[in-house]
Amino acid sequence: MIVNVMATGSDGNLYELIDSSGNSMLIEAGMSRSFYMMHKFARTAPEMCVISHLHSDHSKYRGEFSAMIPVHVSPEFAESDSFKVSGFPLKHGEMHCTAFIIESKVDGSRLFIVTGK
């Protein structure tokens, strides 16, 4: 799996995952769709977006992304045609936060990601 780190930090977080067949999904929605369009690697539209927690640097643009794809905030489980996401609760200050194990259904590769800690 390819991880395209488009933005990370207090100004906004946005990550694109691309499997070996070119399918993609997003992690976080702290940057706009126009920012995503300028920095994406995938040739296909993302299948979904998962958001670790509701601090604005991770979720500010969730409404923009939910207009085009399913968006899941702190899910225990989320699934698309090509990806399975398992969420694990964490604490980030007083905010509920989720770490993710993301599995590609295409090739079985897995990624563990924690973005809120």
Side-chain angles (χ1 to χ4, degrees):
M1 231 180 310
I2 295 170
V3 179
N4 175 14
V5 179
M6 292 187 249
T8 186
S10 58
D11 289 337
N13 294 273
L14 183 61
Y15 310 88
E16 176 185 46
L17 300 183
I18 306 166
D19 71 14
S20 60
S21 293
N23 306 302
S24 69
M25 67 168 283
L26 301 177
I27 301 171
E28 311 299 11
M31 301 301 282
S32 69
R33 280 175 49 191
S34 60
F35 181 90
Y36 159 73
M37 294 302 292
M38 291 184 331
H39 296 89
K40 70 184 186 83
F41 287 170
R43 295 176 189 222
T44 60
E47 295 180 9
M48 70 174 159
C49 176
V50 294
I51 297 173
S52 65
H53 63 289
L54 290 175
H55 283 158
S56 65
D57 58 324
H58 294 262
S59 65
K60 182 177 182 178
Y61 295 96
R62 69 184 182 273
E64 284 189 17
F65 286 102
S66 68
M68 66 182 239
I69 58 174
V71 173
H72 307 277
V73 178
S74 298
E76 286 185 29
F77 184 78
E79 189 168 10
S80 68
D81 289 342
S82 305
F83 299 96
K84 287 195 289 189
V85 177
S86 297
F88 301 91
L90 301 172
K91 195 150 185 174
H92 180 44
E94 294 302 312
M95 179 71 63
H96 170 78
C97 186
T98 304
F100 302 113
I101 294 177
I102 301 171
E103 180 179 355
S104 166
K105 292 181 181 179
V106 172
D107 60 22
S109 61
R110 291 187 179 104
L111 171 74
F112 177 70
I113 186 162
V114 179
T115 64
K117 219 42 180 145

